Amino acid sequence: MIAAGELQSFVPFGREHCRNHPNAFNLQLRELQPASELWSSDGAAGLVGSLQEVSLQERERECWQLRKGFMGVKEEDVEFEEELYTAGTVVVWSQGSRTQASNVYKAFTVDSPVQQALWCNFAVPQNKKEEEEVQTVCIIQSSCVNVHTVTGKDFISPLPFQVSNVWATKFGLLLERKNSATDAQLSPPGEPLPTVFSMLHPLDEITPVVSKPTGLFEGSRVQYASDATMKIVFTCCQPSVVVSYDTVQGIHSVWILRKVTPDERSSVLRCAADPVGTPLGLMASGFLTSHLRNISRLDTPGGSGATGLGPGTGTSCAVGTSSPLHYSALHSHQNRIMSSSPGVHSRIHSPSISNMAALSRAHSPGMAAPSFSGAARFNTSFHSPSPRGHHGFLPSPNSTVNETMVVPEMEPIVPDLCMEQLWSETVTASCHREMSSQASKVFLTTDLCENHYLCFLVESHQQLRCVKFIESNDTSQLIFASVTTIPAKDAEPLQNIDAMLVLEACGSLVLYTGVTRVSKVFVPGLLSPSFSMTNHLSHLSTPAENVSTPANAGSRHLQRLEEAVMPSPVLELRGPTIKHYEASFLEDYTFQQTTPYIHALRDPVCNRVTLELSSGTMLRISVPEIATSELVRKCLQAIRFILPKEAAMKVLVKWYNIYNAPGGPSAHAEWNLFVTCFMMLMGYNTERLTWTRNLHFEVPLSPVIAAKKARPSDGGSDEDWDYLLGSHYQRQMNFQPVCRPVDSNNILITDTEGLSSVSSPSSPSLKLDSSAPLFPHIPALFYVLHLLYQELQLDELQRARASSLVCLLQQLARDLQLEEYVDLYWRDYPSLISGFNESCVIDQALFGQMQRPSFLRAEPPCVLSWLSSCLRGEEVPPFPYLPGICQRTRLLVLSYALYITGDENATSTDVSKYLAKLSAGQKCCTSEPHYRRQSSVKVTFSSGSLAEQLVVWLTSEGFTLKDLESVPFGVALPIREAIYRCREQPCSNWSEEVCLLIGRQDLTKQAHKMTLAKSKSSVGSGLSLEPPATTEADEEEDGMSDIIQEVTGLIWSQDLRVQEVRRLLQSSRPVRVSVVQLPEVSDHEYIEEKENKLLQLCQRTMALPVGRGLFTLFSYHPVPTEPLPVPKLNLTGRAPPRNTMVDLNSGNIDVPPNMTSWPSFHNGVAAGLKIAPASQVDSAWIAYNKPKSPELANEYAGFLMALGLNGHLTKLATLNIHDYLTKGHEMTSIGLLLGVSSAKLGTMDMSITRLLSRPRWSRDGVLHRQESYSLAAGLALGMVCLGNLIGMTDLNVPEQLYQYMVGGHRRAQAGANRERHKSPSYQIKEGDTINVDVTCPGATLALAMIYLKTNNRSIADWLKPPDTWFLLDFIKPEFLLLRTLARCIIMWDEILPNTEWVKSNIPQIMRGTFDPSEDINMETMAQAQDYITAGACMALGLRFAGSANSDAFDCLYEFARTFMKIMSFAGTAAVQTGYYNLQTGLSMILLAMSMVMSGTGNLKVLQLCRFFHKRTGGEMNYGFHMAHHMALGLLFLGGGRYTLSTSNSAIAALLCALYPHFPAHSTDNRYHLQALRHLAVLAAEPRLLVPVDVDSLKPCYALLEVTYKETKWYDETTVELMAPTMLPELHLLKRVKVKGPRYWELSVDLSKETQHLKSILSRDGVLYVKLRAGQLPYKDDPQGWKSLLASTVNHRNSGVRAFKPEAISTFTSEPALVSFAEFFCKTSEGMKHREDSLVLFSAMLYECVTQECPEMLPTYIAIEQAVGALRRGDLLQTFPLWQMRLVVELWDSRVLRGPANRHDALLTSEFLPVMKNMVDVALDSWLKDNSAVLRSYMRGEALPKDAQSIVLACFLVYRSIPCLRNTHTQLEGCSSLGELLSRNSHLGIPLRDLLRLVPILFGSASGPQTLQGFPMQAF
């Protein structure tokens, strides 16, 4: 009997919560009572009373389910329970665990009563292959399903029919349709409707499920699951199965649920759509769809009630045989199908079952259970779900056929899932229909040996049927084996202890594992010995147990033992004898109410389950686990692995019973109990063995378990203290030899007299009992436990347990006479093993009974020596391991094979070379996949060094830094070294896990997608440069406060240029109007003068927003609940000295009408462009920003255009778009159309195309703006054919464009267009020639864009400026600018950044000296020259846009200076070019400069912009201001984060935006539409790289090394840049690298792919960098003079001594290092006497910081501790020396490879040689004094007992001397060194260690003799 623990009463948490929940019911009650009553005292009481009634009514409807919850924590899952509670209309999802009270996670209230609530995971496809699971709660109401995801999304899916039940599956929901009365009438004869449907996602359509039954006739007939008699009783996700019950036949079937294969899908749909020669074309399977959609009208509650025939229901169709024509048509179709299949009868046609069907049912029990009822089973017409009830379509009885013809157009519903039948119960002749009934409970369970069972409880029979099943190799198939029945009234699985709890008919609880009975479960406090119903019930249980069911047979002897020895309190109280016990008896019993008995079980979670008592209360109990100690658990795993299943089961059941007996052992005695139990099962008599007899128990144990005594109180006692003191752990850990007990053998024995009674080995009492169940398996068990012991050695956390295991192992090894194993254990734990000397005799005769497995060899496998040989480069045999149990062994062996041996395939194809997998008894089937827990890392070994491969492979195996800490220091060193190497040069595309393992947090952080704005809260604003203090109000309103100041403060740290730009571009404050009042000016005139001056200034203010939009580009993430702040466009002024207001609306001067309409449009664009593309913006927010007042409509129009430019307009619903367009507001239409088309750039979206091509403009408007219209057409054509003329070659476009550019006669228009083009312009007298003034600009730019960058010389020559004076007179100078620009960008590759190239564009005739006789118009010449120069400069700006090329900049700057000089003389006779022309040219050059320097904030350009900002009078009109401020915006594009691209589309956008004819005033759109100026945004791309320190999360400086690819202009070059910096265009780069020594290096290789860097740049360019320890950031230490290594140069003495541990915190952020310095490197009171330790610790710390390997500190300390303990003689185990030996061997192998490899090794300093030397000295001095001890060991004499034993073991381990017991003769007695070496060759002792042995081998008692003339001292 076992005891259940943790008894507590259970009440569903949701019930408590619902009491206080303001749901509809409670609210109704409140409304019933008047308010006064509610608050009066009795009223309140009345309310409470009525509430109680409510809860009673509701309780009938309540239900709940529990499941195990999982938090997203990795290994250490927080375990808790989740409950889903439903009552009325409320669903409560709550969570609670042992440590935490239940709390509501989410509560939902719906409108109508909840029919069912369940959890379901939907799979949402992420990209092509992967799917993401979405956890949801589904709430089913009568008409819809509400789905709520954990992430907060809600869906409501309407249900097309009434649902009887809903099931969660692996793919989504499975719905069962309710069979209503209308079914029979609606479905045509023999054509049932589908009954099972699936919904794979709440947004997907509900589709019918296909079923594939196994049967006689239908080999694999595929049809819709439409059997009304099939009820689903259970579904499961893993494996994906469905269990159904056939109500007619009474048979359960199991189906596998999977996705439909294309063949099945097509066969179902094809059969459905079979064309049949009926007059109706109704056979499309769309019928099904249509039918379902209509049937819903009939059976939804809102429909027509039960029958659907009510006259007023809207479906007054005559069901049944309403339309004879219709019916017979269908009927004929039916018969058609029938005739084609053998023996098919429909139920309607013949009530008798057809012979075939009857036959099949009788003879094939296994197969004849397809899930279709009656004879209709074999009805092929199932194939066609076509003529489904279409009556919903017939609006009246006399409807004609034509009306129904609409059906076939409906597309079919494609099925998603298929149910394939796997197994059905067999039906025997005796088993009548009445005998079977539907299972009330179905579940899956696993037994302790990992067999899987599907169990279903048939309550009417009180039977639990368990079907064993095996997962076959392809996981889709399950193979079902035998069925076992267990008598049971109820049962529940206990998942994590591989068992199930069964409630027997008699009321007792029994624990089963699979079908093996384990024992009864005793629930304390429930079966109390008093006169109660319970007694008799439990008394009845004895006869029941004696019935031998298959389940009982296995555990027979256990039962006997239970009944005999453990009198349960029940048996003594004999009540009246009860003869019969059936279920009915319980119901009739009269005392039913008085004493509770267990009535049912429910809600199993892990190992907890709820008992429902007959009294209605519920108790929650937990069934104990099989073991709590990790060591026992592992041993049990190993035993289960190696033994045959039956034997393993016996052992596990036996152990479970002993361990969990009521009042069983406490935790620390668990191991001792296990050893005793285990040895008894192997045949030992544990009472006779001294060490087992003295194991410390609380419960005495013998083969017959003595009466249980209750567990002592947990208060503790002296015994506990003695136990701890005596524990061998205490001895091992106690380093002071003073405290060591005198008697070193007395390890686990507290009473020493036990030793005196040790019997001699020959004593006959110590024989093994060969009849014990495990006796034959002793060798195999010994071996697996030995491998487990080796596994424990590799885990520091488990190693303490290894010493417990070793006691058991040494005993088994002695008795199996495996000397070398005993020797190995002695070497590991010398002090422990030398205390044991008993062995038990196994008769030679019995040796034969033992199964000696082939894998048990004489020489023991030792994993440490295997690793050591690996390091020495020797050949290594494969190392044996237990799959699934020895994970650490497998991991480390393969790591060494890969990294040390250098076998690249060690982890893939060559595993068997290094690992020998043990297989015996039972394979661990479930643990195989477990150890391959692949993370997201794809292991590809094509590239990279061994170190990289090792790190990537370890990560893919789920190995983390935490695991590495528990690997012993010597073993871990190679892995640490590999990690150290990878940390230096990591790949930029490694996954997050790999970066975590190599300790590069910067890369880990990079793998998380973060932008600066998001992390802004965490990033402090500790900047060296605070902006000047301004008031809050000023800050907010200028619309430029979102520039990230941390970054701009680093880029421009020396000055306040960003503040200056803000000052220049703000338009929200009044301007200063300073006009001096001259004495002769009257006040009125003075006011007018001021207002005129203000009007001039306003020209500038109105032009500012265009520039501001570029400056603040993409810098703001809006809050979805607040509108976007739009700064005002302030057109007032203040006049000094009194700051009086100056306003344009005073009426004193004339102000142009709608002067501000376009400026406010631009203001809206500027505000909208602040929104970053990555922000969350939705349609509602866009509409929410719509202003109330009509005067802001223009601003909103601009806002819409901006949303298009940053891509957010795609979110605006099409409905809203049409809504805005129909309003007819011109600006809104302009903004919206341009915005939508920008947002949908390049998508070829047809709906948008239709939207744009609606005719919207009258022709009159166009005539005023013919030029603008023509230009737009030209630009559009150019953009469509950008860079090539695809598909338009036959239209001879270039020739036509040439004609439009140079003029000439019109061509005859062909076709229908002729009329449209006749109407002449009313403004200009046009003849039949082309009006070049209108058409030239568009045509020129169209040609430029079509041939952009093609270097097509023939087209370029068309665009050359004319080379005769005569022709020059015919061309507007402005057009010369356009032609030059067009020609240069066609000849893209010829543009050179120098003045010679610019001048080369001026025709020859203007450059030479002029012949005075020629009549040259100097003005023409000067203008032409200036315009051509401006055009060439513009081309230069486009060619080098965003490159910050210094040559291009110098060249442009020079021209700008020249133009400025000329301008200063403007108006004088000397200057022919007018002021306007010069200013135009200058503006273009300024724009070109700012394109080249875009985003860099260059000071010289800023000065020029500021100079022009101040010029407001004279000819400085609105357009020039716009140009200058656009230049300023481009210069600081996006606050310095963006720059321009030179891709074709970017050049096209810039041509549109910077078209060289700027508007003369704010309403001027004659030559170019102002809105197009904003298209410059489309050319912007983020190229700012901002290093962010991963520890402080602040932007910082870092040195970058940028390598350019080779081009035809320059070789591959590398430049160094200090980031944050703009990167060049990525296609020009080969590599970007963060350079040391300050930061960890990080290289991004762009020759492979640029996506990684692009994604970094698009997320604010945040590149995480990690400061190396010992270095300071550039900001604090610009020259690098303060770093830790620098200090060693300044002081003459060595760096270590100059190092002050206190200063450590400035150099490293590793908390471990800082605290180490704090506690171990400072002199304090306690540390006075250990100065040398302090110095040593400081040196270690210095080494770790400067070598940048803080994780090596524990290794250094461990080495120092090991050496110290050896020198003091404190070592109790040789393990530290093993590790030391591995460290030395690794170091040797690295040094031997030559000095080149030394820098790779981790331990480079003098520390290791010093330590190694100390070990050598200590061991050599011991050897000198104790050579006799070694000699006697080598001769195989008894092991020494005293402290010598320990040092001897240390010596043997450290010197790699193998077990010499049987090699003694080989080494002694050599006459020469050569002979010695040849004999050693197969022993493999390293040479230097062999030489240490020479004096002992050759030195006999006679004293040191010479060996061939060598004096002994030589050794």
Side-chain angles (χ1 to χ4, degrees), residues 1-110:
M1 178 176 268
I2 59 173
E6 292 189 15
L7 191 67
Q8 50 190 19
S9 68
F10 173 79
V11 176
F13 179 75
R15 186 188 292 169
E16 295 298 308
H17 182 71
C18 283
R19 290 221 172 108
N20 315 324
H21 193 283
N23 56 14
F25 227 109
N26 299 355
L27 292 176
Q28 280 173 7
L29 280 173
R30 302 229 166 147
E31 285 162 20
L32 293 179
Q33 294 175 312
S36 59
E37 254 180 59
L38 258 179
W39 303 120
S40 65
S41 56
D42 57 346
L47 178 65
V48 171
S50 51
L51 274 177
Q52 282 170 346
E53 287 164 31
V54 170
S55 58
L56 283 174
Q57 286 174 356
E58 286 199 339
R59 199 167 295 174
E60 295 162 15
R61 291 209 302 268
E62 75 173 354
C63 60
W64 67 88
Q65 64 189 83
L66 273 74
R67 72 165 182 189
K68 177 182 170 185
F70 354 73
M71 286 301 273
V73 196
K74 284 240 171 67
E75 284 79 24
E76 52 286 350
D77 281 327
V78 184
E79 204 182 271
F80 56 90
E81 291 184 4
E82 296 191 285
E83 174 189 286
L84 197 60
Y85 174 91
T86 315
T89 56
V90 184
V91 176
V92 181
W93 179 358
S94 56
Q95 297 175 340
S97 65
R98 280 179 171 164
T99 50
Q100 195 184 355
S102 290
N103 59 321
V104 175
Y105 175 61
K106 287 189 174 167
F108 311 95
T109 308
V110 290

Side-chain angles (χ1 to χ4, degrees), residues 375 996 1152 1210 1236 1289 1508 1858:
L996 266 176
T1210 49
V1236 169
T1289 38
F1508 288 125

Side-chain angles (χ1 to χ4, degrees), residues 857-880:
R857 302 242 164 69
E859 77 280 358
C862 168
V863 70
L864 293 174
S865 55
W866 192 96
L867 299 177
S868 157
S869 333
C870 218
L871 287 169
R872 289 207 298 268
E874 298 168 7
E875 272 296 308
V876 280
F879 192 83

Side-chain angles (χ1 to χ4, degrees), residues 1421-1464:
M1421 191 189 83
Q1423 282 182 5
Q1425 256 183 342
D1426 289 348
Y1427 272 111
I1428 289 173
T1429 307
C1433 288
M1434 191 73 188
L1436 188 64
L1438 288 169
R1439 171 70 178 82
F1440 292 99
S1443 67
N1445 182 308
S1446 52
D1447 294 344
F1449 171 72
D1450 294 340
C1451 167
L1452 291 169
Y1453 192 66
E1454 200 175 310
F1455 280 108
R1457 297 286 298 271
T1458 317
F1459 269 65
M1460 304 257 299
K1461 277 205 193 81
I1462 300 176
M1463 263 182 79
S1464 57

Side-chain angles (χ1 to χ4, degrees), residues 1033-1040 1065-1071 1101-1105 1108 1124-1132 1134 1141 1156 1159-1164 1166-1167 1170 1191-1192 1195:
D1034 296 350
E1035 280 293 291
E1036 273 314 297
E1037 62 196 11
D1038 68 358
M1040 290 178 276
L1065 288 177
Q1066 66 79 25
S1067 56
S1068 58
R1069 294 193 277 279
V1071 286
T1101 310
M1102 291 187 299
L1104 293 176
R1108 195 180 65 238
L1124 182 77
V1126 182
K1128 302 194 296 291
L1129 195 61
N1130 193 329
L1131 297 184
T1132 60
R1134 300 267 178 184
M1141 182 83 134
T1156 60
S1160 61
F1161 177 87
H1162 297 315
N1163 197 37
K1170 285 202 318 190
E1191 58 266 20
L1192 290 176
E1195 222 164 67

Side-chain angles (χ1 to χ4, degrees), residues 292-337:
L292 283 174
R293 283 171 192 148
N294 288 290
I295 194 173
S296 60
R297 274 194 277 171
L298 298 180
D299 36 323
T300 45
S304 52
T307 56
L309 295 178
T313 55
T315 49
S316 57
C317 50
V319 185
T321 53
S322 58
S323 136
L325 160 68
H326 199 75
Y327 190 72
S328 57
L330 285 176
H331 221 66
S332 64
H333 158 66
Q334 195 65 32
N335 299 338
R336 278 306 252 302
I337 293 188

